PDB file of all heavy atoms in Angstrom:
ATOM      1  N   ARG X   1      95.372 100.723 215.947  1.00 91.00           N
ATOM      2  CA  ARG X   1      96.583 100.840 214.993  1.00 91.00           C
ATOM      3  C   ARG X   1      97.707 101.261 215.802  1.00 91.00           C
ATOM      4  O   ARG X   1      98.877 101.487 215.041  1.00 91.00           O
ATOM      5  CB  ARG X   1      96.277 101.778 213.886  1.00 91.00           C
ATOM      6  CG  ARG X   1      94.928 101.357 213.105  1.00 91.00           C
ATOM      7  CD  ARG X   1      94.620 102.563 212.117  1.00 91.00           C
ATOM      8  NE  ARG X   1      93.453 102.225 211.397  1.00 91.00           N
ATOM      9  CZ  ARG X   1      92.130 102.468 211.940  1.00 91.00           C
ATOM     10  NH1 ARG X   1      92.027 103.273 213.043  1.00 91.00           N
ATOM     11  NH2 ARG X   1      91.063 102.185 211.179  1.00 91.00           N
ATOM     12  N   ALA X   2      97.808 101.446 217.080  1.00 94.00           N
ATOM     13  CA  ALA X   2      98.966 101.946 217.793  1.00 94.00           C
ATOM     14  C   ALA X   2     100.195 100.916 217.539  1.00 94.00           C
ATOM     15  O   ALA X   2     101.375 101.514 217.365  1.00 94.00           O
ATOM     16  CB  ALA X   2      98.555 102.107 219.285  1.00 94.00           C
ATOM     17  N   SER X   3     100.010  99.717 217.563  1.00 94.00           N
ATOM     18  CA  SER X   3     101.234  98.800 217.359  1.00 94.00           C
ATOM     19  C   SER X   3     101.829  98.962 216.006  1.00 94.00           C
ATOM     20  O   SER X   3     103.036  98.822 215.923  1.00 94.00           O
ATOM     21  CB  SER X   3     100.644  97.349 217.686  1.00 94.00           C
ATOM     22  OG  SER X   3      99.799  96.897 216.765  1.00 94.00           O
ATOM     23  N   LYS X   4     101.015  99.131 215.041  1.00 95.00           N
ATOM     24  CA  LYS X   4     101.392  99.361 213.613  1.00 95.00           C
ATOM     25  C   LYS X   4     102.257 100.595 213.493  1.00 95.00           C
ATOM     26  O   LYS X   4     103.234 100.647 212.842  1.00 95.00           O
ATOM     27  CB  LYS X   4     100.345  99.195 212.652  1.00 95.00           C
ATOM     28  CG  LYS X   4      99.707  97.840 212.529  1.00 95.00           C
ATOM     29  CD  LYS X   4      98.546  97.943 211.458  1.00 95.00           C
ATOM     30  CE  LYS X   4      97.950  96.497 211.365  1.00 95.00           C
ATOM     31  NZ  LYS X   4      96.778  96.509 210.364  1.00 95.00           N
ATOM     32  N   ILE X   5     101.716 101.661 214.182  1.00 95.00           N
ATOM     33  CA  ILE X   5     102.439 102.876 214.155  1.00 95.00           C
ATOM     34  C   ILE X   5     103.718 102.751 214.818  1.00 95.00           C
ATOM     35  O   ILE X   5     104.683 103.241 214.479  1.00 95.00           O
ATOM     36  CB  ILE X   5     101.600 104.025 214.780  1.00 95.00           C
ATOM     37  CG1 ILE X   5     100.287 104.295 213.908  1.00 95.00           C
ATOM     38  CG2 ILE X   5     102.321 105.351 214.906  1.00 95.00           C
ATOM     39  CD1 ILE X   5      99.292 105.165 214.520  1.00 95.00           C
ATOM     40  N   ASP X   6     103.774 102.047 215.995  1.00 96.00           N
ATOM     41  CA  ASP X   6     104.986 101.893 216.803  1.00 96.00           C
ATOM     42  C   ASP X   6     106.076 101.141 215.877  1.00 96.00           C
ATOM     43  O   ASP X   6     107.180 101.559 215.893  1.00 96.00           O
ATOM     44  CB  ASP X   6     104.685 101.015 218.014  1.00 96.00           C
ATOM     45  CG  ASP X   6     105.771 100.656 218.847  1.00 96.00           C
ATOM     46  OD1 ASP X   6     106.804 101.421 218.824  1.00 96.00           O
ATOM     47  OD2 ASP X   6     105.830  99.490 219.347  1.00 96.00           O
ATOM     48  N   THR X   7     105.631 100.091 215.254  1.00 95.00           N
ATOM     49  CA  THR X   7     106.454  99.284 214.255  1.00 95.00           C
ATOM     50  C   THR X   7     107.000 100.204 213.183  1.00 95.00           C
ATOM     51  O   THR X   7     108.295 100.099 213.030  1.00 95.00           O
ATOM     52  CB  THR X   7     105.708  98.145 213.615  1.00 95.00           C
ATOM     53  OG1 THR X   7     105.250  97.337 214.593  1.00 95.00           O
ATOM     54  CG2 THR X   7     106.555  97.471 212.673  1.00 95.00           C
ATOM     55  N   LEU X   8     106.200 101.084 212.588  1.00 96.00           N
ATOM     56  CA  LEU X   8     106.792 102.084 211.580  1.00 96.00           C
ATOM     57  C   LEU X   8     107.812 103.018 212.160  1.00 96.00           C
ATOM     58  O   LEU X   8     108.801 103.082 211.524  1.00 96.00           O
ATOM     59  CB  LEU X   8     105.517 102.777 210.972  1.00 96.00           C
ATOM     60  CG  LEU X   8     105.763 103.990 210.157  1.00 96.00           C
ATOM     61  CD1 LEU X   8     106.578 103.507 208.889  1.00 96.00           C
ATOM     62  CD2 LEU X   8     104.648 104.741 209.637  1.00 96.00           C
ATOM     63  N   LEU X   9     107.448 103.585 213.245  1.00 96.00           N
ATOM     64  CA  LEU X   9     108.382 104.560 213.797  1.00 96.00           C
ATOM     65  C   LEU X   9     109.611 103.865 214.426  1.00 96.00           C
ATOM     66  O   LEU X   9     110.707 104.564 214.352  1.00 96.00           O
ATOM     67  CB  LEU X   9     107.718 105.228 214.957  1.00 96.00           C
ATOM     68  CG  LEU X   9     106.402 106.174 214.654  1.00 96.00           C
ATOM     69  CD1 LEU X   9     105.884 106.847 215.877  1.00 96.00           C
ATOM     70  CD2 LEU X   9     106.878 107.152 213.511  1.00 96.00           C
ATOM     71  N   SER X  10     109.507 102.646 214.934  1.00 96.00           N
ATOM     72  CA  SER X  10     110.727 101.957 215.373  1.00 96.00           C
ATOM     73  C   SER X  10     111.644 101.677 214.160  1.00 96.00           C
ATOM     74  O   SER X  10     112.926 101.722 214.176  1.00 96.00           O
ATOM     75  CB  SER X  10     110.448 100.739 216.107  1.00 96.00           C
ATOM     76  OG  SER X  10     109.612 100.973 217.291  1.00 96.00           O
ATOM     77  N   THR X  11     111.001 101.181 212.947  1.00 96.00           N
ATOM     78  CA  THR X  11     111.722 100.903 211.791  1.00 96.00           C
ATOM     79  C   THR X  11     112.510 102.101 211.241  1.00 96.00           C
ATOM     80  O   THR X  11     113.584 102.103 210.957  1.00 96.00           O
ATOM     81  CB  THR X  11     110.827 100.332 210.728  1.00 96.00           C
ATOM     82  OG1 THR X  11     110.157  99.171 211.176  1.00 96.00           O
ATOM     83  CG2 THR X  11     111.614 100.162 209.463  1.00 96.00           C
ATOM     84  N   LEU X  12     111.770 103.204 211.206  1.00 96.00           N
ATOM     85  CA  LEU X  12     112.352 104.479 210.824  1.00 96.00           C
ATOM     86  C   LEU X  12     113.548 104.932 211.629  1.00 96.00           C
ATOM     87  O   LEU X  12     114.600 105.490 211.244  1.00 96.00           O
ATOM     88  CB  LEU X  12     111.348 105.545 210.619  1.00 96.00           C
ATOM     89  CG  LEU X  12     110.290 105.526 209.579  1.00 96.00           C
ATOM     90  CD1 LEU X  12     109.237 106.555 209.725  1.00 96.00           C
ATOM     91  CD2 LEU X  12     110.940 105.549 208.188  1.00 96.00           C
ATOM     92  N   SER X  13     113.362 104.740 213.036  1.00 96.00           N
ATOM     93  CA  SER X  13     114.369 105.065 213.973  1.00 96.00           C
ATOM     94  C   SER X  13     115.686 104.283 213.650  1.00 96.00           C
ATOM     95  O   SER X  13     116.863 104.682 213.675  1.00 96.00           O
ATOM     96  CB  SER X  13     113.975 104.816 215.408  1.00 96.00           C
ATOM     97  OG  SER X  13     112.963 105.677 215.739  1.00 96.00           O
ATOM     98  N   ARG X  14     115.535 102.917 213.371  1.00 95.00           N
ATOM     99  CA  ARG X  14     116.741 102.020 213.157  1.00 95.00           C
ATOM    100  C   ARG X  14     117.415 102.487 211.751  1.00 95.00           C
ATOM    101  O   ARG X  14     118.518 102.200 211.552  1.00 95.00           O
ATOM    102  CB  ARG X  14     116.209 100.600 213.063  1.00 95.00           C
ATOM    103  CG  ARG X  14     115.844 100.005 214.412  1.00 95.00           C
ATOM    104  CD  ARG X  14     115.663  98.527 214.424  1.00 95.00           C
ATOM    105  NE  ARG X  14     114.678  98.064 213.415  1.00 95.00           N
ATOM    106  CZ  ARG X  14     113.343  97.935 213.910  1.00 95.00           C
ATOM    107  NH1 ARG X  14     113.037  98.205 215.204  1.00 95.00           N
ATOM    108  NH2 ARG X  14     112.437  97.582 213.159  1.00 95.00           N
ATOM    109  N   ARG X  15     116.543 103.133 210.894  1.00 94.00           N
ATOM    110  CA  ARG X  15     117.174 103.563 209.591  1.00 94.00           C
ATOM    111  C   ARG X  15     117.769 104.873 209.634  1.00 94.00           C
ATOM    112  O   ARG X  15     118.213 105.436 208.689  1.00 94.00           O
ATOM    113  CB  ARG X  15     116.027 103.505 208.411  1.00 94.00           C
ATOM    114  CG  ARG X  15     115.527 102.180 208.179  1.00 94.00           C
ATOM    115  CD  ARG X  15     116.450 101.385 207.377  1.00 94.00           C
ATOM    116  NE  ARG X  15     116.697 101.979 206.108  1.00 94.00           N
ATOM    117  CZ  ARG X  15     116.095 101.576 204.931  1.00 94.00           C
ATOM    118  NH1 ARG X  15     115.043 100.599 204.958  1.00 94.00           N
ATOM    119  NH2 ARG X  15     116.257 102.115 203.872  1.00 94.00           N
ATOM    120  N   GLY X  16     117.729 105.451 210.913  1.00 93.00           N
ATOM    121  CA  GLY X  16     118.465 106.795 211.033  1.00 93.00           C
ATOM    122  C   GLY X  16     117.597 108.009 211.232  1.00 93.00           C
ATOM    123  O   GLY X  16     118.107 109.045 211.190  1.00 93.00           O
ATOM    124  N   CYS X  17     116.297 107.742 211.298  1.00 96.00           N
ATOM    125  CA  CYS X  17     115.460 108.897 211.441  1.00 96.00           C
ATOM    126  C   CYS X  17     115.303 109.392 212.911  1.00 96.00           C
ATOM    127  O   CYS X  17     115.367 108.576 213.749  1.00 96.00           O
ATOM    128  CB  CYS X  17     113.926 108.620 210.869  1.00 96.00           C
ATOM    129  SG  CYS X  17     113.853 108.450 209.162  1.00 96.00           S
ATOM    130  N   ARG X  18     115.074 110.633 213.049  1.00 97.00           N
ATOM    131  CA  ARG X  18     114.768 111.170 214.378  1.00 97.00           C
ATOM    132  C   ARG X  18     113.379 112.005 214.329  1.00 97.00           C
ATOM    133  O   ARG X  18     113.081 112.443 213.227  1.00 97.00           O
ATOM    134  CB  ARG X  18     115.862 112.021 215.028  1.00 97.00           C
ATOM    135  CG  ARG X  18     116.208 113.293 214.196  1.00 97.00           C
ATOM    136  CD  ARG X  18     117.311 114.096 214.782  1.00 97.00           C
ATOM    137  NE  ARG X  18     117.630 115.311 214.040  1.00 97.00           N
ATOM    138  CZ  ARG X  18     118.459 116.219 214.539  1.00 97.00           C
ATOM    139  NH1 ARG X  18     119.132 115.937 215.595  1.00 97.00           N
ATOM    140  NH2 ARG X  18     118.669 117.339 213.750  1.00 97.00           N
ATOM    141  N   PHE X  19     112.772 112.165 215.341  1.00 98.00           N
ATOM    142  CA  PHE X  19     111.356 112.719 215.214  1.00 98.00           C
ATOM    143  C   PHE X  19     111.118 113.923 216.136  1.00 98.00           C
ATOM    144  O   PHE X  19     111.659 114.103 217.201  1.00 98.00           O
ATOM    145  CB  PHE X  19     110.250 111.566 215.789  1.00 98.00           C
ATOM    146  CG  PHE X  19     110.515 110.389 214.912  1.00 98.00           C
ATOM    147  CD1 PHE X  19     110.904 109.117 215.643  1.00 98.00           C
ATOM    148  CD2 PHE X  19     110.268 110.229 213.626  1.00 98.00           C
ATOM    149  CE1 PHE X  19     110.954 107.907 214.905  1.00 98.00           C
ATOM    150  CE2 PHE X  19     110.221 109.071 212.927  1.00 98.00           C
ATOM    151  CZ  PHE X  19     110.773 107.970 213.694  1.00 98.00           C
ATOM    152  N   VAL X  20     110.334 114.726 215.496  1.00 98.00           N
ATOM    153  CA  VAL X  20     109.741 115.880 216.261  1.00 98.00           C
ATOM    154  C   VAL X  20     108.236 115.511 216.359  1.00 98.00           C
ATOM    155  O   VAL X  20     107.534 115.551 215.385  1.00 98.00           O
ATOM    156  CB  VAL X  20     109.927 117.222 215.514  1.00 98.00           C
ATOM    157  CG1 VAL X  20     109.085 118.343 216.289  1.00 98.00           C
ATOM    158  CG2 VAL X  20     111.390 117.566 215.445  1.00 98.00           C
ATOM    159  N   PHE X  21     107.775 115.286 217.582  1.00 97.00           N
ATOM    160  CA  PHE X  21     106.397 114.800 217.712  1.00 97.00           C
ATOM    161  C   PHE X  21     105.554 115.982 218.123  1.00 97.00           C
ATOM    162  O   PHE X  21     105.975 116.848 218.922  1.00 97.00           O
ATOM    163  CB  PHE X  21     106.291 113.757 218.913  1.00 97.00           C
ATOM    164  CG  PHE X  21     106.567 112.352 218.436  1.00 97.00           C
ATOM    165  CD1 PHE X  21     107.811 111.820 218.610  1.00 97.00           C
ATOM    166  CD2 PHE X  21     105.577 111.606 218.120  1.00 97.00           C
ATOM    167  CE1 PHE X  21     108.007 110.514 218.235  1.00 97.00           C
ATOM    168  CE2 PHE X  21     105.745 110.199 217.676  1.00 97.00           C
ATOM    169  CZ  PHE X  21     107.010 109.780 217.884  1.00 97.00           C
ATOM    170  N   HIS X  22     104.311 116.077 217.680  1.00 97.00           N
ATOM    171  CA  HIS X  22     103.348 116.909 218.247  1.00 97.00           C
ATOM    172  C   HIS X  22     102.880 116.287 219.579  1.00 97.00           C
ATOM    173  O   HIS X  22     102.667 115.119 219.697  1.00 97.00           O
ATOM    174  CB  HIS X  22     102.115 117.158 217.223  1.00 97.00           C
ATOM    175  CG  HIS X  22     101.229 118.160 217.759  1.00 97.00           C
ATOM    176  ND1 HIS X  22     100.281 118.073 218.755  1.00 97.00           N
ATOM    177  CD2 HIS X  22     101.017 119.507 217.408  1.00 97.00           C
ATOM    178  CE1 HIS X  22      99.645 119.166 218.958  1.00 97.00           C
ATOM    179  NE2 HIS X  22     100.148 120.079 218.264  1.00 97.00           N
ATOM    180  N   THR X  23     102.749 117.050 220.537  1.00 97.00           N
ATOM    181  CA  THR X  23     102.528 116.626 221.854  1.00 97.00           C
ATOM    182  C   THR X  23     101.353 115.696 221.975  1.00 97.00           C
ATOM    183  O   THR X  23     101.314 114.661 222.604  1.00 97.00           O
ATOM    184  CB  THR X  23     102.280 117.828 222.826  1.00 97.00           C
ATOM    185  OG1 THR X  23     103.404 118.717 222.826  1.00 97.00           O
ATOM    186  CG2 THR X  23     102.087 117.386 224.253  1.00 97.00           C
ATOM    187  N   LYS X  24     100.178 116.112 221.327  1.00 96.00           N
ATOM    188  CA  LYS X  24      98.931 115.250 221.483  1.00 96.00           C
ATOM    189  C   LYS X  24      99.107 113.867 221.042  1.00 96.00           C
ATOM    190  O   LYS X  24      98.699 112.966 221.490  1.00 96.00           O
ATOM    191  CB  LYS X  24      97.802 115.971 220.763  1.00 96.00           C
ATOM    192  CG  LYS X  24      97.432 117.359 221.416  1.00 96.00           C
ATOM    193  CD  LYS X  24      96.242 118.056 220.705  1.00 96.00           C
ATOM    194  CE  LYS X  24      95.901 119.349 221.373  1.00 96.00           C
ATOM    195  NZ  LYS X  24      94.819 119.992 220.693  1.00 96.00           N
ATOM    196  N   ILE X  25      99.691 113.664 219.748  1.00 96.00           N
ATOM    197  CA  ILE X  25      99.906 112.338 219.161  1.00 96.00           C
ATOM    198  C   ILE X  25     100.916 111.487 220.061  1.00 96.00           C
ATOM    199  O   ILE X  25     100.669 110.342 220.313  1.00 96.00           O
ATOM    200  CB  ILE X  25     100.168 112.309 217.746  1.00 96.00           C
ATOM    201  CG1 ILE X  25     100.235 110.911 217.151  1.00 96.00           C
ATOM    202  CG2 ILE X  25     101.425 113.031 217.403  1.00 96.00           C
ATOM    203  CD1 ILE X  25      98.905 110.145 217.202  1.00 96.00           C
ATOM    204  N   TYR X  26     101.911 112.263 220.566  1.00 96.00           N
ATOM    205  CA  TYR X  26     102.934 111.578 221.256  1.00 96.00           C
ATOM    206  C   TYR X  26     102.231 110.998 222.539  1.00 96.00           C
ATOM    207  O   TYR X  26     102.365 109.725 222.875  1.00 96.00           O
ATOM    208  CB  TYR X  26     104.033 112.606 221.684  1.00 96.00           C
ATOM    209  CG  TYR X  26     105.102 111.919 222.558  1.00 96.00           C
ATOM    210  CD1 TYR X  26     106.008 110.957 221.918  1.00 96.00           C
ATOM    211  CD2 TYR X  26     105.252 112.199 223.885  1.00 96.00           C
ATOM    212  CE1 TYR X  26     107.065 110.427 222.736  1.00 96.00           C
ATOM    213  CE2 TYR X  26     106.190 111.592 224.681  1.00 96.00           C
ATOM    214  CZ  TYR X  26     107.108 110.758 224.123  1.00 96.00           C
ATOM    215  OH  TYR X  26     108.123 110.205 224.957  1.00 96.00           O
ATOM    216  N   ASN X  27     101.531 111.742 223.221  1.00 96.00           N
ATOM    217  CA  ASN X  27     100.888 111.322 224.562  1.00 96.00           C
ATOM    218  C   ASN X  27      99.895 110.310 224.291  1.00 96.00           C
ATOM    219  O   ASN X  27      99.724 109.273 225.166  1.00 96.00           O
ATOM    220  CB  ASN X  27     100.274 112.593 225.245  1.00 96.00           C
ATOM    221  CG  ASN X  27     101.262 113.444 225.862  1.00 96.00           C
ATOM    222  OD1 ASN X  27     102.510 113.015 225.979  1.00 96.00           O
ATOM    223  ND2 ASN X  27     100.888 114.826 226.120  1.00 96.00           N
ATOM    224  N   HIS X  28      99.168 110.459 223.130  1.00 96.00           N
ATOM    225  CA  HIS X  28      98.090 109.402 222.794  1.00 96.00           C
ATOM    226  C   HIS X  28      98.727 108.104 222.577  1.00 96.00           C
ATOM    227  O   HIS X  28      98.197 107.029 223.100  1.00 96.00           O
ATOM    228  CB  HIS X  28      97.296 109.917 221.583  1.00 96.00           C
ATOM    229  CG  HIS X  28      96.344 108.930 221.118  1.00 96.00           C
ATOM    230  ND1 HIS X  28      95.222 108.608 221.885  1.00 96.00           N
ATOM    231  CD2 HIS X  28      96.232 108.210 219.959  1.00 96.00           C
ATOM    232  CE1 HIS X  28      94.469 107.733 221.126  1.00 96.00           C
ATOM    233  NE2 HIS X  28      95.045 107.633 219.942  1.00 96.00           N
ATOM    234  N   LEU X  29      99.783 108.005 221.837  1.00 96.00           N
ATOM    235  CA  LEU X  29     100.429 106.726 221.478  1.00 96.00           C
ATOM    236  C   LEU X  29     100.997 106.097 222.792  1.00 96.00           C
ATOM    237  O   LEU X  29     100.947 104.925 222.977  1.00 96.00           O
ATOM    238  CB  LEU X  29     101.501 106.903 220.496  1.00 96.00           C
ATOM    239  CG  LEU X  29     101.091 107.215 219.138  1.00 96.00           C
ATOM    240  CD1 LEU X  29     102.127 107.643 218.112  1.00 96.00           C
ATOM    241  CD2 LEU X  29     100.114 106.117 218.498  1.00 96.00           C
ATOM    242  N   LEU X  30     101.636 106.900 223.735  1.00 95.00           N
ATOM    243  CA  LEU X  30     102.168 106.438 224.962  1.00 95.00           C
ATOM    244  C   LEU X  30     101.113 105.723 225.822  1.00 95.00           C
ATOM    245  O   LEU X  30     101.291 104.701 226.455  1.00 95.00           O
ATOM    246  CB  LEU X  30     102.861 107.435 225.717  1.00 95.00           C
ATOM    247  CG  LEU X  30     104.149 108.034 225.107  1.00 95.00           C
ATOM    248  CD1 LEU X  30     104.892 108.998 226.148  1.00 95.00           C
ATOM    249  CD2 LEU X  30     105.177 106.816 224.749  1.00 95.00           C
ATOM    250  N   GLU X  31      99.875 106.341 225.754  1.00 95.00           N
ATOM    251  CA  GLU X  31      98.861 105.780 226.576  1.00 95.00           C
ATOM    252  C   GLU X  31      98.336 104.453 225.968  1.00 95.00           C
ATOM    253  O   GLU X  31      97.892 103.526 226.706  1.00 95.00           O
ATOM    254  CB  GLU X  31      97.603 106.790 226.493  1.00 95.00           C
ATOM    255  CG  GLU X  31      97.848 108.073 227.301  1.00 95.00           C
ATOM    256  CD  GLU X  31      96.705 108.991 227.225  1.00 95.00           C
ATOM    257  OE1 GLU X  31      95.834 108.737 226.340  1.00 95.00           O
ATOM    258  OE2 GLU X  31      96.736 110.086 227.923  1.00 95.00           O
ATOM    259  N   LEU X  32      98.500 104.184 224.689  1.00 95.00           N
ATOM    260  CA  LEU X  32      97.961 103.020 224.077  1.00 95.00           C
ATOM    261  C   LEU X  32      99.028 101.861 224.096  1.00 95.00           C
ATOM    262  O   LEU X  32      98.577 100.652 224.104  1.00 95.00           O
ATOM    263  CB  LEU X  32      97.599 103.184 222.604  1.00 95.00           C
ATOM    264  CG  LEU X  32      96.455 104.229 222.450  1.00 95.00           C
ATOM    265  CD1 LEU X  32      96.250 104.624 220.799  1.00 95.00           C
ATOM    266  CD2 LEU X  32      95.160 103.732 222.964  1.00 95.00           C
ATOM    267  N   LEU X  33     100.300 102.125 224.130  1.00 94.00           N
ATOM    268  CA  LEU X  33     101.225 101.160 224.059  1.00 94.00           C
ATOM    269  C   LEU X  33     101.580 100.601 225.447  1.00 94.00           C
ATOM    270  O   LEU X  33     101.539 101.309 226.503  1.00 94.00           O
ATOM    271  CB  LEU X  33     102.543 101.726 223.558  1.00 94.00           C
ATOM    272  CG  LEU X  33     102.340 102.124 222.054  1.00 94.00           C
ATOM    273  CD1 LEU X  33     103.755 102.665 221.511  1.00 94.00           C
ATOM    274  CD2 LEU X  33     102.240 100.931 221.185  1.00 94.00           C
ATOM    275  N   ASP X  34     101.950  99.314 225.529  1.00 90.00           N
ATOM    276  CA  ASP X  34     102.222  98.596 226.791  1.00 90.00           C
ATOM    277  C   ASP X  34     103.605  98.525 227.181  1.00 90.00           C
ATOM    278  O   ASP X  34     104.089  97.751 227.910  1.00 90.00           O
ATOM    279  CB  ASP X  34     101.488  97.215 226.997  1.00 90.00           C
ATOM    280  CG  ASP X  34     101.922  96.260 225.778  1.00 90.00           C
ATOM    281  OD1 ASP X  34     102.845  96.803 225.001  1.00 90.00           O
ATOM    282  OD2 ASP X  34     101.452  95.220 225.662  1.00 90.00           O
ATOM    283  N   HIS X  35     104.386  99.241 226.312  1.00 92.00           N
ATOM    284  CA  HIS X  35     105.824  99.223 226.589  1.00 92.00           C
ATOM    285  C   HIS X  35     106.397 100.744 226.167  1.00 92.00           C
ATOM    286  O   HIS X  35     105.819 101.481 225.567  1.00 92.00           O
ATOM    287  CB  HIS X  35     106.547  98.165 225.749  1.00 92.00           C
ATOM    288  CG  HIS X  35     106.316  98.407 224.242  1.00 92.00           C
ATOM    289  ND1 HIS X  35     105.089  98.075 223.525  1.00 92.00           N
ATOM    290  CD2 HIS X  35     107.131  99.086 223.313  1.00 92.00           C
ATOM    291  CE1 HIS X  35     105.346  98.490 222.302  1.00 92.00           C
ATOM    292  NE2 HIS X  35     106.390  99.026 222.122  1.00 92.00           N
ATOM    293  N   LYS X  36     107.721 100.840 226.585  1.00 91.00           N
ATOM    294  CA  LYS X  36     108.435 102.047 226.253  1.00 91.00           C
ATOM    295  C   LYS X  36     108.877 101.897 224.829  1.00 91.00           C
ATOM    296  O   LYS X  36     109.744 101.055 224.542  1.00 91.00           O
ATOM    297  CB  LYS X  36     109.603 102.367 227.306  1.00 91.00           C
ATOM    298  CG  LYS X  36     110.171 103.674 226.920  1.00 91.00           C
ATOM    299  CD  LYS X  36     111.323 103.937 228.049  1.00 91.00           C
ATOM    300  CE  LYS X  36     112.028 105.200 227.753  1.00 91.00           C
ATOM    301  NZ  LYS X  36     113.178 105.496 228.617  1.00 91.00           N
TER     302      LYS X  36
END
C-alpha cells in the first residue's frame, strides 16, 4: 500500500498540508518507495 499512501500524502501536500512524521513510519515508507 506504500504507493497509495504516497499518493494520499502528496495530494494533501498540494492542498497545503505539512506533516510531522513518526520516525518509524517515515523510514518504512522511504524504504518501500522507488522515488523521493
